[in-house]
Amino acid sequence: MEFRPVGSKERVATLDILRGFSLLGILLVNMFGFYLPMPHIADLSNWFSEAQDIIWQQLLDIYVQSSFYPLFSMLFGYGLAMQFLKAKETGASFYRFAPKRMIILFIVGMLHAVLIWWGDILATYAFCGIFLIALMRLRAKWLLIIAVVVNGLYHAIILSLYKAGGMFDTTTDSLSVDIVAIQSSIEAYGVGSWMDAFSQRLVDLSIQLSPFMWISSLFTILPYMLIGAALGKWRLIEGAKDKLVTWLVLAVLGIGIGIYMKSLPIAGAQTFGNEYLQVYIGGPMLALGYIAVVTLLTQLPFIVKVLSPVAKAGRMSMTLYIMQSIVCTVLFYNWGFGLFGKVDVQMGVFIALAIYVCQLVMAELYFSKFKQGPLEAAMKRLTYGK
């Protein structure tokens, strides 16, 4: 029996809209990494001194930061569960192609990280995806239980250590700053050549892709994928019209708890403990809320029609994600337009919005002639041989 990816007629509009929506959130967050020496900034909230920058950074901290990688992780798990169920229905071999796809995705991610930008997330998704594939045979409730237990225990242990160490009373402005590393990054990206940027990128990658990052991703990113896979096995998005109350509860709880948790370091004390709650509890809760709100809105046909450009962007999300890195490195690095360190937070947001709108237009034009994004088509050929 032939195993193939989801075709254009079988796509779920809500999932594509969510992917397209995620592209904007991811770009807004990644902008800091494009124009600032992010791997060497101990705490971004203490980096800015101008009132306007602080306000914009706080708004991004609450509504965007740490919410879109969990959202995309859940979508990743949901999509993989759809493929698993489809293979099961057709009698195809899911385990023949799924690991191969993760290996290819890992290679693409590492090439992206080494040659374009150090902040790649694709390789991490592929790494966690291998473990997700191994667990995919389990029933949906067990996927959800494993996700909650693994993620819950991990954060419970760390928060207990934070509490014992007084981290809920220690402010983040006590962090030391590596001035030498920051200056080196500014020189390499801001005034250096392509080779200078390449050398600095390898240094930044040693921080971004440290052994601790790979291990911690199994306790953070993988559980989000498992949650998405559980939702996918229950087909909660496809059957949203029959589960409106469930999605409404998720929307209220996700948005409410998420915004409250993410506001703690801003409305309250800016301590290590509150920032941990903001990132690792508030972030994924708000992501779940966003998924629920978009799912509810897309039950209205005119909303789906209005958001059609966003859905098209979601259909070529990997292509547009890599394109964002290419465009931004050209804009900010010295071998391009040299804007590294020369824009404020507000301008960074406007640049991100402008890039995103251009990508929506490009996706609309592209799908008037083609059925898949270029990288998506290449992935399909390499994975399925067609």
Side-chain angles (χ1 to χ4, degrees):
M1 180 66 67
E2 181 184 40
F3 181 67
R4 59 185 179 84
V6 174
S8 58
K9 294 182 179 179
E10 303 163 293
R11 301 192 70 91
V12 179
T14 301
L15 290 173
D16 287 331
I17 290 169
L18 282 166
R19 291 189 186 99
F21 176 53
S22 297
L23 281 170
L24 175 59
I26 289 170
L27 179 57
L28 287 169
V29 172
N30 286 348
M31 287 300 289
F32 290 117
F34 288 122
Y35 66 78
L36 291 176
M38 279 301 295
H40 313 287
I41 297 177
D43 186 6
L44 189 61
S45 59
N46 294 319
W47 178 262
F48 302 105
S49 56
E50 297 291 332
Q52 177 179 273
D53 286 335
I54 293 172
I55 292 171
W56 276 95
Q57 190 272 326
Q58 288 177 343
L59 288 172
L60 290 172
D61 234 18
I62 294 173
Y63 297 105
V64 184
Q65 186 73 260
S66 73
S67 289
F68 281 88
Y69 80 87
L71 196 160
F72 218 91
S73 299
M74 293 180 204
L75 294 177
F76 188 97
Y78 201 106
L80 205 61
M82 287 177 65
Q83 290 189 9
F84 176 83
L85 292 174
K86 182 179 177 180
K88 192 173 181 181
E89 290 169 1
T90 60
S93 175
F94 173 79
Y95 289 96
R96 178 183 172 189
F97 292 103
K100 184 179 179 181
R101 183 172 182 174
M102 292 303 111
I103 292 171
I104 295 170
L105 184 63
F106 183 84
I107 293 171
V108 171
M110 291 306 297
L111 288 173
H112 173 225
V114 173
L115 299 178
I116 303 174
W117 185 55
W118 55 265
D120 173 78
I121 194 65
L122 298 178
T124 308
Y125 282 178
F127 172 73
C128 293
I130 293 294
F131 293 87
L132 176 60
I133 290 169
L135 296 169
M136 192 60 77
R137 292 182 186 275
L138 297 177
R139 295 174 63 182
K141 71 173 184 179
W142 287 110
L143 293 175
L144 184 60
I145 290 171
I146 291 171
V148 172
V149 170
V150 169
N151 191 252
L153 285 177
Y154 176 77
H155 293 313
I157 291 170
I158 292 181
L159 287 171
S160 296
L161 294 174
Y162 268 44
K163 186 66 176 178
M167 303 302 278
F168 280 90
D169 300 313
T170 306
T171 58
T172 57
D173 56 14
S174 61
L175 284 168
S176 59
V177 178
D178 191 340
I179 299 297
V180 175
I182 290 175
Q183 187 61 36
S184 175
S185 182
I186 292 173
E187 290 177 358
Y189 297 130
V191 299
S193 64
W194 189 92
M195 281 304 300
D196 293 326
F198 175 76
S199 298
Q200 182 63 41
R201 187 157 54 248
L202 296 182
V203 173
D204 293 343
L205 270 176
S206 67
I207 299 172
Q208 174 74 2
L209 301 181
S210 66
F212 174 76
M213 188 285 298
W214 295 109
I215 295 171
S216 65
S217 69
L218 298 178
F219 298 94
T220 53
I221 292 177
L222 178 58
Y224 306 147
M225 290 182 176
L226 289 169
I227 291 172
L231 298 180
K233 283 198 167 188
W234 281 321
R235 300 183 187 272
L236 284 188
I237 289 180
E238 295 94 320
K241 287 185 178 179
D242 300 322
K243 301 286 185 181
L244 291 180
V245 174
T246 299
W247 282 114
L248 184 61
V249 170
L250 289 175
V252 172
L253 291 178
I255 299 294
I257 296 174
I259 291 178
Y260 172 77
M261 287 290 186
K262 294 192 75 178
S263 301
L264 286 176
I266 297 168
Q270 193 175 321
T271 64
F272 287 99
N274 281 344
E275 288 206 348
Y276 191 93
L277 291 173
Q278 178 193 58
V279 172
Y280 294 105
I281 307 299
M285 285 300 299
L286 188 57
L288 192 59
Y290 283 153
I291 291 174
V293 169
V294 172
T295 300
L296 289 170
L297 289 175
T298 51
Q299 301 315 299
L300 303 173
F302 83 92
I303 293 291
V304 175
K305 187 174 182 179
V306 169
L307 296 180
S308 175
V310 178
K312 288 186 174 70
R315 287 172 59 185
M316 56 188 302
S317 57
M318 184 166 67
T319 296
L320 296 185
Y321 170 72
I322 298 294
M323 183 183 293
Q324 289 174 356
S325 296
I326 295 172
V327 170
C328 288
T329 51
V330 170
L331 280 176
F332 295 112
Y333 291 1
N334 186 57
W335 50 264
F337 290 90
L339 296 178
F340 190 87
K342 298 178 182 178
V343 301
D344 56 21
V345 182
Q346 183 184 50
M347 183 57 66
V349 170
F350 290 160
I351 291 173
L353 291 172
I355 292 172
Y356 182 70
V357 170
C358 289
Q359 289 189 318
L360 293 184
V361 174
M362 192 199 81
E364 188 73 32
L365 294 173
Y366 184 88
F367 281 110
S368 67
K369 293 186 175 295
F370 303 98
K371 293 183 178 180
Q372 282 187 309
L375 280 182
E376 287 75 11
M379 281 279 291
K380 176 181 176 181
R381 178 168 292 276
L382 291 170
T383 304
Y384 307 106
K386 60 180 180 180

